[in-house]
Amino acid sequence: MFSEKLLKWYDLFKRNLPWRTERKNPYFVWLSEIMLQQTTVATVIPYFGRFILKWPELKDIAKASLDEVLVEWQGLGYYSRARNLHQCAQLLANAFPQSEEELRILPGIGPYTAAAIASIAFDKKAAAVDGNVIRVLSRYYALQLPMPRKEVHQRLKKLLPNKRCGDFTEALMELGALVCRPKIPLCEECPFLETCKAYKLKNVESFPLKHLKEKMPTRYTTAFIICRQDGALWLRKRPSKGLLGGMMEVPTTPWIEVKNAKQKTCVKHTFTHFHLEATLCYRDKPPDRDGLWVHPHDFKKYALPTVMKKIIKAGLKEFESVQNSFDDAV
DNA sequence: CATGCGTGGTC
DNA sequence: TGACCAAGCAT
């Protein structure tokens, strides 16, 4: 029996992760699942710890402002998750629904997360299909489909146990993360070594089929380091939707795919679907009224995405050396 | 259904 | 250094 063998393995090898508490905490499960979307466990752990320290329960984060949530989320990426998290907390305020169907309609909760919360937090019989599960079952059944998600979902439903559904969901993902890894899978340590079709075919790593990706374009911009005599920097808030929605930034020229030959790239950063190269430009007066002065000491009060932290760091460093050489000269 | 949406680690 | 990857969702 698939589920029995998997659960036996899980009991022996599961990790102690901060959201895996003895008594199931739906708030912890929800928060961790949102954070773990497209994000590694190692990256999530410190963020999760800070969130539950600041907001121990759902009702606590429900009282927080979006800006407060974005400040704690800064650096984690995919900022729409933070906006949806905040909205979801406000909608619920008190408690989570327990069915996959009711969870599914909440902001930021899609098919995977709904099934994951229903099973992990409430032990409902729900099939949670994520990247791990697609990889594990694509290999186990040697699925040659280019888009195996639907097929994997059908197969997974038939594998679900009647007891310990939550553990089963976590176990399958844990197997994918620790043993049935994308690269260099540890097949010798896998409980399904003898029944895995991909292993029998001796090409485990070729599953699931990966489609070639288009090369990412590079966009170019000039970022303005607008620094006042007292060291304060001019920042503004980005529009609430889209790329880095609701986060703070230094003013920049439009990000376009045309390189200005004369300018020298100071900061490079890669986003989901393009590279960015930024040139720095120094000013002492803001271009308009859209923004505010922020002292470096107060940066932590504002939600700055990693790309802007890089630009500001490079900008202030450069500014300092310019100032110092000026000071030396006089 | 394809595209937009971050970041840090790894090889 | 750069390409690829990691517990998806919204539109």
Side-chain angles (χ1 to χ4, degrees):
Chain A
M1 202 69 182
F2 187 92
S3 66
E4 289 171 14
K5 190 170 274 191
L6 180 62
L7 287 166
K8 199 164 288 180
W9 174 86
Y10 185 62
D11 289 337
L12 288 173
F13 298 110
K14 72 170 173 182
R15 290 173 287 180
N16 285 317
L17 299 175
W19 45 88
R20 284 184 185 155
T21 52
E22 193 63 33
R23 191 178 186 328
K24 292 298 182 185
N25 182 331
Y27 169 59
F28 283 16
V29 174
W30 165 70
L31 182 60
S32 65
E33 287 300 338
I34 301 298
M35 288 182 166
L36 286 163
Q37 288 168 4
Q38 301 298 102
T39 310
T40 58
V41 165
T43 300
V44 164
I45 285 175
Y47 282 88
F48 180 83
R50 289 193 291 269
F51 266 70
I52 62 168
L53 189 64
K54 189 170 181 115
W55 300 298
E57 298 179 33
L58 176 61
K59 64 176 169 57
D60 301 315
I61 198 166
K63 291 178 200 155
S65 70
L66 174 57
D67 284 336
E68 287 177 297
V69 174
L70 285 174
V71 166
E72 289 302 317
W73 198 274
Q74 62 180 316
L76 196 51
Y78 287 128
Y79 297 98
S80 66
R81 290 185 296 173
R83 305 196 294 271
N84 287 329
L85 184 86
H86 175 253
Q87 195 191 341
C88 185
Q90 296 205 319
L91 280 172
L92 295 175
N94 245 321
F96 287 89
Q98 299 196 9
S99 75
E100 191 177 353
E101 193 178 37
E102 292 171 289
L103 288 160
R104 173 65 185 80
I105 62 179
L106 293 167
I109 299 182
Y112 160 73
T113 307
I117 296 173
S119 65
I120 298 170
F122 303 113
D123 218 34
K124 303 289 184 187
K125 200 167 173 179
V129 178
D130 74 331
N132 284 307
V133 175
I134 288 175
R135 185 172 61 257
V136 172
L137 294 190
S138 288
R139 289 171 175 176
Y140 188 76
Y141 295 116
L143 302 179
Q144 298 279 0
L145 305 168
M147 308 285 287
R149 182 176 293 271
K150 184 171 279 183
E151 175 69 19
V152 166
H153 184 83
Q154 296 302 324
R155 303 251 191 183
L156 180 60
K157 280 201 287 187
K158 295 175 185 171
L159 296 177
L160 293 177
N162 291 314
K163 292 177 182 176
R164 299 186 66 190
C165 293
D167 285 348
F168 176 85
T169 294
E170 291 203 83
L172 200 51
M173 292 190 290
E174 196 79 333
L175 186 74
L178 300 177
V179 175
C180 198
R181 310 182 297 194
K183 290 177 180 176
I184 320 178
L186 305 176
C187 294
E188 310 308 318
E189 299 181 27
C190 183
F192 302 109
L193 176 68
E194 293 172 6
T195 45
C196 177
K197 287 195 181 175
Y199 184 77
K200 192 162 289 181
L201 295 169
K202 298 182 192 299
N203 59 351
V204 169
E205 271 197 74
S206 73
F207 297 93
L209 266 44
K210 28 207 166 274
H211 50 289
L212 20 67
K213 286 164 187 167
E214 294 192 15
K215 288 173 192 167
M216 292 201 293
T218 300
R219 297 181 188 171
Y220 302 88
T221 186
T222 297
F224 293 98
I225 305 300
I226 304 165
C227 212
R228 207 165 58 179
Q229 292 292 354
D230 64 355
L233 194 66
W234 185 256
L235 299 180
R236 66 186 185 187
K237 196 174 198 175
R238 293 177 62 85
S240 58
K241 290 184 178 179
L243 182 68
L244 309 176
M247 305 291 285
M248 301 298 288
E249 67 171 2
V250 299
T252 66
T253 57
W255 303 6
I256 57 175
E257 291 181 25
V258 181
K259 185 179 174 69
N260 183 333
K262 289 182 182 176
Q263 296 178 326
K264 176 187 146 199
T265 297
C266 301
V267 176
K268 288 187 179 186
H269 188 79
T270 299
F271 289 93
T272 308
H273 59 296
F274 66 91
H275 302 289
L276 182 70
E277 296 191 350
T279 300
L280 301 184
C281 182
Y282 299 88
R283 292 284 187 274
D284 56 5
K285 291 210 167 56
D288 49 45
R289 242 161 283 189
D290 177 24
L292 74 168
W293 292 108
V294 179
H295 289 268
H297 181 263
D298 292 330
F299 281 168
K300 63 177 177 298
K301 296 178 185 170
Y302 295 88
L304 288 162
T306 299
V307 62
M308 288 301 154
K309 289 191 174 183
K310 279 192 200 175
I311 288 173
I312 291 169
K313 185 175 179 182
L316 293 184
K317 193 172 176 182
E318 182 84 3
F319 187 76
E320 223 171 81
S321 71
V322 170
Q323 290 291 75
N324 288 341
S325 60
F326 176 77
D327 292 343
D328 292 345
V330 292

